């Protein structure tokens, strides 16, 4: 697809919208993800606090994600990225519980850090008034590092992913589907627009490869020791976005032409957006007590869960096979096949763990009767989209043809078998301990516990304050409690619309003064 550009001279500093091989397919997938999520949210029985506010911010976040997808210059992308991040705050806090509000604030802190880093990258790279017509290049390691932080927050790069499991767990499933399917891919779009994978990228290709490989492996290991479906999907997103960033690193090392890289990444992001939306809608349906023939574990329900789950793993004749085949075919460089094989095997194990966990949850709650029958329309439509959209999209004919070759389908089978064996091992086959867990699972849990302990130990600031006098520490503690109470009072009085809107206006004013 050649694409076209729409100039917007009236937008802030002058901007443009680009409709090319990357933005057009992802725009369609994002619209579908937001549409299905909105349909499910409108029919869900979950109570939502301040429903009118949530609806308004839902539309605002959807519009910002669409604008960020087609943004053709750095300033327009930053504005859309900022609105998308801040406006999702009420979606996370939609339940109105103390846990939801705390999680939303935790999310907002991450987003502000990411947006600040991205703004600094634009300023340091010289993307000011005279260069508003295009994305600035990553001229050096400082700018590239800021972009990595700014976009890595949204795409769940290792160390910057902390908001994702908590948000996916605290947010209503329909709204979480919108966040996972409609906003996460924007981070990878930003990396591509800034030149990662299509140029030097400001850092050595090995750095981008290392971050991607770490994210792909980290997401699988952490996800395999979780027992909540939403958190498993969160770490699956970390793994999948790590895979995408790693592929960009391989592309930068091999010198693959930019149009080829963009076309391959477009297939992957298109497939991931639809599959992740379907999985979250499936979790919501199961939590609402969906049954077929009175059975929560009916083969039809399991098939609807397995299709998008194994599509992420790259099962032959699924959208995932088309996406990963497109990446392998477009970027011919040593090591990429091994990386994709290992990533597919890890994803297979993680998705089998997800389906098994969801099935166990459905069976444990089967005795609870529901007054209303769950509405399955959005979930069914999302599964149909996963099964057909990638195959029917006109620009994907070449990767579809490649995925239908017998040698390509045979090449996709070993990772699935390896992943299935890993999952069986994690589920408890082999030598078992006193708590009926396998050696692999106990080792993964030990690594997770040590990682969490190290994180808490290194971000803890209270030991540094122990040298202060006791009365000073006591006054500081009282001051912290008073500030937290004031923030809670402000949030309850003025509402999330005013609070988030004020933060966004302050951010816009800072941008205007800086530029």
């Amino acid at each position: 697809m050649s694409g076209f550009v729409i100039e917007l001279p009236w937008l802030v500093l002058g901007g443009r919208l680009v409709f090319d091989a990357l933005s057009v397919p992802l725009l369609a997938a994002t619209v579908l993800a937001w549409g299905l999520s909105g349909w499910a949210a409108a029919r869900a029985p979950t109570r939502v606090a301040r429903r009118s506010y949530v609806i308004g911010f839902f539309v605002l976040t959807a519009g910002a994600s669409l604008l960020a997808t087609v943004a053709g210059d750095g300033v327009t992308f930053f504005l859309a990225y900022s609105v998308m991040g801040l406006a999702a705050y009420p979606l996370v806090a939609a339940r109105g519980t103390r846990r939801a509000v705390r999680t939303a604030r935790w999310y907002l802190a991450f987003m502000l850090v990411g947006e600040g880093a991205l703004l600094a990258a634009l300023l340091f790279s010289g993307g000011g008034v005279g260069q508003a017509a295009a994305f600035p290049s990553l001229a050096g390691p400082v700018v590239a590092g800021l972009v990595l932080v700014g976009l890595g927050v949204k795409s769940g790069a290792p160390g910057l992913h902390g908001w994702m499991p908590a948000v996916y767990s605290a947010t209503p499933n329909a709204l979480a589907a919108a966040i996972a399917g409609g906003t996460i891919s924007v981070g990878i779009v930003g990396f591509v627009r800034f030149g990662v994978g299509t140029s030097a990228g400001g850092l050595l290709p090995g750095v981008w490869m290392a971050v991607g490989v770490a994210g792909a492996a980290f997401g699988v290991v952490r996800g395999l020791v979780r027992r909540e479906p939403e958190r498993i999907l969160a770490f699956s997103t970390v793994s999948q976005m790590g895979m995408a960033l790693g592929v960009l690193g391989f592309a930068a090392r091999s010198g693959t032409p930019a149009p080829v890289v963009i076309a391959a990444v477009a297939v992957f992001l298109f497939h991931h957006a639809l599959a992740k939306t379907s999985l979250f809608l499936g979790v919501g349906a199961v939590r609402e007590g969906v049954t077929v023939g009175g059975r929560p574990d009916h083969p039809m329900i399991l098939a609807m869960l397995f299709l998008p789950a194994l599509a992420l793993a790259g099962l032959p004749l699924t959208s995932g096979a088309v996406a990963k085949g497109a990446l392998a075919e477009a970027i011919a460089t040593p090591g990429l096949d091994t990386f994709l094989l290992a990533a597919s095997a890890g994803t297979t194990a993680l998705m089998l763990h997800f389906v098994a966990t969801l099935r166990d949850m459905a069976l444990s709650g089967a005795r609870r009767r529901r007054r209303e029958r769950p509405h399955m329309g959005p979930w069914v439509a999302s599964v149909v989209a996963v099964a057909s959209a990638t195959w029917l999209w006109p620009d994907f004919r070449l990767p579809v043809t490649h995925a239908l070759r017998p040698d390509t389908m045979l090449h996709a089978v070993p990772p699935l078998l390896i992943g299935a064996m890993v999952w069986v091992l994690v589920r408890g086959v082999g030598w078992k301990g006193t708590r009926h867990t396998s050696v692999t699972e106990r080792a993964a849990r030990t690594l997770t516990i040590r990682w969490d302990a190290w994180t808490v130990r290194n971000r803890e600031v209270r030991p540094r304050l122990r040298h202060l006098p006791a009365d000073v520490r006591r006054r500081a503690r009282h001051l912290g409690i008073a500030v937290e109470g004031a923030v809670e009072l402000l949030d309850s009085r003025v509402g999330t619309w005013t609070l988030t809107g004020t933060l966004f206006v302050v951010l816009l004013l800072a941008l205007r003064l800086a530029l």
Side-chain angles (χ1 to χ4, degrees):
M1 178 179 178
S2 59
F4 60 93
V5 177
I6 299 178
E7 299 291 342
L8 301 174
W10 50 267
L11 182 61
V12 192
L13 303 175
R16 62 179 184 175
L17 306 180
V18 176
F19 296 85
D20 58 3
L22 176 62
S23 61
V24 172
L26 190 57
L27 189 67
T30 304
V31 169
L32 191 57
W34 281 100
L36 293 174
S37 301
W39 183 12
R43 301 298 297 269
T46 305
R47 291 184 178 180
V48 173
R50 299 172 180 173
R51 189 178 183 87
S52 60
Y53 289 99
V54 173
I55 293 174
F57 277 102
F58 182 91
V59 175
L60 182 60
T61 309
S65 67
L66 297 176
L67 179 59
T69 301
V70 300
D73 63 277
V75 175
T76 302
F77 179 84
F78 171 75
L79 291 175
Y81 187 80
S82 300
V83 174
M84 181 184 68
L86 296 177
Y89 173 91
L91 306 186
V92 181
R95 286 195 170 105
T97 62
R98 180 175 292 272
R99 177 197 175 196
V101 173
R102 284 184 174 273
T103 302
R105 291 172 180 166
W106 178 246
Y107 162 81
L108 190 60
F110 271 89
M111 292 302 107
L112 289 176
V113 169
E115 291 156 16
L118 189 58
L119 175 60
L122 290 173
L123 296 177
F124 289 158
S125 64
V129 177
Q131 299 182 14
F135 278 86
S137 60
L138 303 184
V142 174
V143 175
L146 289 171
V147 170
L148 177 59
V149 173
L151 299 177
V153 167
K154 175 57 68 176
S155 57
L160 302 172
H161 70 286
W163 63 273
M164 196 175 289
V167 166
Y168 284 4
S169 179
T171 309
N173 292 115
L175 301 181
I179 295 175
T183 68
I184 300 302
S185 298
V186 171
I188 303 300
V189 171
F191 282 123
V192 174
R193 297 304 189 195
F194 275 99
V196 179
T198 59
S199 64
L203 294 173
L204 294 175
V207 175
W208 302 107
M209 292 165 56
V211 174
V213 171
F218 178 81
V220 171
V221 173
R222 292 299 298 269
L224 285 175
V225 297
R226 299 300 171 186
R227 290 292 181 268
E228 190 174 355
E230 292 86 353
R231 291 183 181 269
I232 297 174
L233 290 180
F235 286 110
S236 167
T237 300
V238 172
S239 180
Q240 293 293 302
M241 294 299 101
M243 185 190 308
L245 191 55
V247 167
L248 292 179
F250 278 100
R253 188 183 69 174
S254 65
T256 306
V260 177
V261 176
I262 289 175
V265 172
V267 184
F268 180 83
L269 295 181
F270 183 92
H271 135 79
H272 179 267
L274 296 181
K276 198 55 62 75
T277 301
S278 179
L279 289 173
F280 269 102
L281 294 181
V283 173
V286 171
R287 285 197 179 277
E288 292 171 15
V290 62
T291 60
V292 175
R295 292 178 54 186
D297 61 339
H298 192 277
M300 182 179 296
I301 296 177
L302 295 179
M304 292 175 64
L305 291 172
F306 267 118
L307 178 60
L310 293 183
L312 286 179
L315 182 72
L317 301 180
T318 63
S319 59
V322 177
K324 294 178 181 179
L327 294 175
E329 183 73 8
I331 307 168
T333 182
L336 180 60
D337 284 341
T338 303
F339 173 58
L340 292 178
L341 186 148
S344 296
T347 303
T348 301
L350 190 58
M351 289 297 99
L352 291 175
H353 175 58
F354 162 76
V355 174
T357 302
L358 199 58
R359 176 182 177 274
D360 295 341
M361 184 186 71
L363 291 176
S364 64
R367 295 182 179 179
R368 293 179 297 178
R369 295 183 178 179
R370 302 284 180 176
R371 294 182 179 179
E372 299 180 3
R373 186 176 181 179
H375 184 66
M376 294 183 61
W379 184 28
V380 173
S382 69
V383 174
V384 173
V386 173
S388 61
T390 303
W391 300 90
L392 298 177
W393 191 260
D395 293 338
F396 296 163
R397 291 176 182 174
L398 187 60
V400 164
T401 303
H402 178 263
L404 292 176
R405 289 164 43 183
D407 58 331
T408 303
M409 289 189 284
L410 289 176
H411 186 71
V413 172
L416 301 175
L417 297 178
I418 295 173
M421 289 189 291
V422 171
W423 175 71
V424 170
L425 182 64
V426 171
R427 288 286 288 186
V429 174
W431 185 83
K432 297 181 179 180
T434 56
R435 301 186 68 179
H436 300 288
T437 56
S438 66
V439 178
T440 304
E441 185 173 0
R442 288 191 287 117
R445 287 181 178 178
T446 301
L447 290 175
T448 299
I449 292 173
R450 291 184 178 180
W451 170 269
D452 291 338
W454 182 87
T455 303
V456 171
R457 186 168 60 251
N458 283 272
R459 72 184 181 192
E460 182 64 61
V461 297
R462 281 180 294 180
R464 303 176 185 177
L465 303 178
R466 291 174 181 171
H467 300 289
L468 297 176
D471 59 336
V472 175
R473 286 187 280 123
R474 183 171 56 256
R475 292 175 183 175
R477 184 168 59 253
H478 291 327
L479 178 62
I481 294 174
V483 170
E484 183 178 2
V487 172
E488 291 181 357
L489 179 62
L490 176 66
D491 184 56
S492 62
R493 292 291 176 85
V494 303
T496 54
W497 179 286
T498 306
L499 180 60
T500 309
T502 303
L503 290 173
F504 178 60
V505 170
V506 170
L507 190 62
L508 283 181
L509 290 176
L511 175 65
R512 182 68 184 89
L513 293 175
L515 298 179

